[in-house]
Amino acid sequence: TSDRANFSNGGSGMTGSQVGYVYRLDYSYASKYLFEATGRYDGHYYFAPGHQYAYFPAFSGGWRLSEESFIKDNLPWINQLKLRGSWGKSGNLAGGPFQYLNSYTLNPNAYVFGTGTLVQGSSINLEANPNITWEKSTKTDIGLDGNLWRGLLTFELDYFYEKRTDMLLQPSITVPVEYGLALAQENAGIMSNHGFEAVLGTAHTFHDGLRLGINGNFSYAKNKLIQIFETAATRDNPNRSRTGKPLNTPFGYKALGLFKTSDDKNGDGVIDASDGYNVTQFGTLHPGDVKYADLNHDGVIDANDETKVGYPNSPQITYGFTLTGSWKGFDMSLFFQGAAEASINIAGYQTIPFRLDNTNAGYEYFNNRWTPTHQNARFPRAYAALNDNNTANPSYGNTFGPWESSEWMSNTGFLRLKTGVIGYTIPNKITQHFKVRNLRFYASAQNLFTISHLHFEDPETGYTNREEAYPVQKVIIFGLNLNF
C-alpha cells in the first residue's frame, strides 16, 4: 500500500459576482454635428452593501468644420477639419476584496485552556473599513483633426485633463502597539494629470518621382498628487513634501559632487572641521567621497535634508517619428523612438563594488571611479567594502540613504533608431524575362543605435529585474522578396 505521507487531497473554491448595465446613444446631423452619450452602472462584490454600485457616464461631441459653407466654399485647401471634445467618468477596483469585513488568522498554541493544554487562538489581521468604494477618474479631452492641401499636412491635436479621486491609500500615521492591528486603507487620495498629444504627418511627390514623407507623434503628461497621507515631517517641509509632486517622485540627499584632494587642506587624508568643513555626514570623510547639501543648515546630514532628486521612472515625454522615401525602385523607412523627463537609480552591481552579496562591480564603475589623478570622475572612490557615506544605507530600513541620493540618479531620456529598412525593387522590364512578378532586395535593422546619458544600460529597463534583464539586441537582416 502507498504511504499516506506521499499523497493528499484538498481544494478550494470561491464565487464572485458583478453586474454592469451599459447604454449608448449616437446622434448625427448633416454629417456635421456629432454627439454620443454612453454610461455604465456597475456593481461589484469588492465593496460593502451601500457602496457596491456606481454610475459612470460619458459624453462626446464633434463638429466637422470643413463641411460648413464658410470653409467649404472659401478655403479649398482645407480638406478636412474637425473639432471634438469628450468628458467622462470611469471606476477602478481598488485594493483587494472584502476590506469592509474583519478577517482573522488562526494561531496554533496560542493560550492555555482548562487542563493546561495549549489551544488554538485567533487574531484580527487588519482594521475593517466598511466605507471603501470605487476609485473614480474624471477625464476631459479637447481635440482638433485636420487634413490640408490634399494630404500635404495631416494633424491630430489633443489636450487632456484627468482627476482621480477616492484613491485607496494607507494612513501615514503610527498608532500605539496597544491598538493591536494595522489601520485600514481609505479612499482619501486625489491626483490630477494633464498634458497634450500631437500627431503630425506630411508627404510630397516631386516631379522626378522622388517621394518623401514624415510622420511623428509627441506626448507630454504630468501628474500631481493633490491629496495624500503625509506625516508632519514631510508635509511641513517644502523639500520633502510629496503633495504637489508627481507620483513616484524619487527623494533623497542632494549630492554636490565629490570631495577633491584640495578639500583636504591639512593633508592628513581626512576631511573634517580642521579643513573648514563643519557638516557631519556619515563616518570618516576622505577625498573622493560624496558631498551632500545641508539644506536646513543645521550642520548634520539627516532625514531633514531629504529633497526631490529626479523624475519618476515613467517618462513624462514620449515621442517618435518615421521617415519614408522612395525613388526609382529604391525605398526607405526609418522609425525613431524617444522619451524624456525620466530618471532611474543606477546604484547596482555595475556601479557599486561589493553591493549586497559582495559581488564585484562591472567595468562601468572601475573605468569612471575617483582617483587622485581622475578627480572629475562620475563615481566615488573605491573601498574594500561598502562605505557608509557613499553606498551603504545609514538609515537601515528608512526610505532614503546614500543609495537614494542624486549621486546615483541618472537621466533615462533617449532617442533610438528602433527599426530601419532600405530596399530596392528590380524593374519589371527586367524581371519579366525570368517570369518573375516582383523581386526586391532589402536590409533591415533593429535597435541600430541609441543616444542616451545612460550608455551602459538600456534606458527602458526600469526597476523590474534590471540586473538580470537581457540587454537590447542589435539585429541586422539581409533578405529578398520574390513573387512569381
Side-chain angles (χ1 to χ4, degrees):
T1 60
S2 299
D3 187 345
R4 291 180 60 86
N6 295 330
F7 68 89
S8 65
N9 60 11
S12 62
M14 65 173 293
T15 60
S17 60
Q18 57 184 352
V19 63
Y21 303 97
V22 182
Y23 68 86
R24 176 176 174 177
L25 175 66
D26 292 302
Y27 175 78
S28 173
Y29 177 75
S31 298
K32 292 188 292 186
Y33 312 110
L34 311 172
F35 176 78
E36 180 177 277
T38 61
R40 301 180 60 94
Y41 186 66
D42 290 333
H44 207 278
Y45 73 93
Y46 260 41
F47 312 119
H51 299 278
Q52 294 174 325
Y53 290 88
Y55 173 57
F56 305 113
F59 304 92
S60 64
W63 180 16
R64 297 185 64 190
L65 294 164
S66 54
E67 296 299 313
E68 297 288 357
S69 58
F70 60 83
I71 290 182
K72 199 171 186 178
D73 299 337
N74 299 295
L75 303 173
W77 50 274
I78 299 180
N79 307 114
Q80 180 180 333
L81 189 63
K82 179 182 177 182
L83 179 65
R84 52 184 169 77
S86 62
W87 176 94
K89 282 188 175 182
S90 61
N92 178 51
L93 293 175
F98 305 118
Q99 292 195 59
Y100 64 92
L101 297 174
N102 286 320
S103 61
Y104 298 84
T105 296
L106 299 178
N107 305 304
N109 303 326
Y111 61 95
V112 177
F113 183 76
T115 61
T117 303
L118 287 171
V119 298
Q120 183 173 257
S122 64
S123 60
I124 299 176
N125 297 317
L126 183 69
E127 182 183 46
N129 182 356
N131 298 314
I132 284 180
T133 187
W134 300 81
E135 290 186 352
K136 301 177 183 67
S137 174
T138 303
K139 305 176 184 180
T140 302
D141 183 278
I142 299 175
L144 182 67
D145 303 335
N147 184 323
L148 311 180
W149 297 290
R150 299 188 182 277
L152 185 62
L153 175 63
T154 60
F155 60 85
E156 296 178 17
L157 307 175
D158 284 87
Y159 171 80
F160 59 88
Y161 177 82
E162 177 183 5
K163 186 175 183 180
R164 299 183 68 89
T165 58
D166 292 331
M167 296 172 61
L168 202 58
L169 301 176
Q170 189 73 39
S172 208
I173 60 174
T174 302
V175 296
V177 67
E178 292 82 7
Y179 193 75
L181 71 166
L183 296 180
Q185 291 182 313
E186 298 180 24
N187 293 103
I190 302 175
M191 182 174 70
S192 66
N193 185 30
H194 74 281
F196 65 90
E197 296 177 344
V199 179
L200 301 174
T202 184
H204 182 69
T205 301
F206 296 88
H207 295 297
D208 60 354
L210 174 63
R211 180 174 177 80
L212 298 176
I214 179 172
N215 290 278
N217 63 82
F218 182 91
S219 175
Y220 172 79
K222 184 177 182 180
N223 64 66
K224 180 174 68 174
L225 294 170
I226 299 176
Q227 178 177 294
I228 58 171
F229 286 118
E230 285 199 81
T231 63
T234 60
R235 183 183 61 250
D236 298 338
N237 186 331
N239 292 326
R240 301 183 68 191
S241 178
R242 273 61 172 169
T243 303
K245 306 289 197 311
L247 180 67
N248 295 325
T249 295
F251 286 82
Y253 301 134
K254 180 180 179 180
L256 300 177
L258 305 177
F259 287 108
K260 301 182 180 297
T261 53
S262 58
D263 296 317
D264 178 21
K265 295 182 172 54
N266 58 22
D268 61 355
V270 175
I271 297 175
D272 53 21
S274 65
D275 301 294
Y277 188 68
N278 297 307
V279 177
T280 302
Q281 294 193 181
F282 310 103
T284 302
L285 301 177
H286 304 90
D289 288 339
V290 182
K291 181 179 182 180
Y292 300 109
D294 181 18
L295 297 181
N296 66 342
H297 306 291
D298 65 351
V300 178
I301 303 299
D302 56 19
N304 297 310
D305 299 299
E306 183 186 26
T307 189
K308 174 184 174 182
V309 292
Y311 291 104
N313 185 233
S314 298
Q316 296 180 161
I317 293 176
T318 57
Y319 60 93
F321 56 93
T322 302
L323 304 175
T324 58
S326 62
W327 182 69
K328 295 184 177 181
F330 290 96
D331 63 89
M332 175 201 70
S333 176
L334 303 175
F335 170 56
F336 292 86
Q337 176 189 11
E341 294 193 1
S343 302
I344 195 170
N345 189 310
I346 60 173
Y349 74 97
Q350 292 176 305
T351 58
I352 294 181
F354 315 112
R355 180 177 180 264
L356 298 181
D357 56 1
N358 288 329
T359 56
N360 212 341
Y363 66 89
E364 173 64 22
Y365 173 78
F366 288 104
N367 286 350
N368 203 3
R369 75 189 192 281
W370 185 95
T371 66
T373 58
H374 186 202
Q375 300 204 33
N376 62 341
R378 171 66 177 85
F379 303 109
R381 64 183 293 161
Y383 284 91
L386 290 176
N387 174 265
D388 284 346
N389 187 77
N390 302 334
T391 53
N393 190 338
S395 54
Y396 295 109
N398 288 346
T399 58
F400 69 97
W403 278 348
E404 285 72 48
S405 73
S406 61
E407 168 67 19
W408 302 105
M409 297 300 299
S410 179
N411 187 330
T412 55
F414 72 94
L415 174 62
R416 170 176 290 155
L417 177 55
K418 191 66 177 179
T419 58
V421 180
I422 298 176
Y424 177 70
T425 301
I426 304 297
N428 284 336
K429 63 182 180 180
I430 297 176
T431 58
Q432 64 183 0
H433 295 296
F434 304 97
K435 297 182 179 181
V436 173
R437 295 180 58 187
N438 180 273
L439 177 59
R440 177 176 178 267
F441 297 91
Y442 69 90
S444 67
Q446 296 180 5
N447 305 314
L448 194 59
F449 68 83
T450 301
I451 301 173
S452 173
H453 293 288
L454 193 63
H455 58 272
F456 64 90
E457 183 177 301
D458 178 18
E460 290 188 283
T461 297
Y463 287 111
T464 303
N465 298 323
R466 59 182 299 195
E467 296 187 351
E468 294 81 22
Y470 202 77
V472 173
Q473 289 183 305
K474 182 189 299 182
V475 180
I476 300 177
I477 299 175
F478 298 93
L480 61 87
N481 293 327
L482 179 62
N483 295 318
F484 293 96

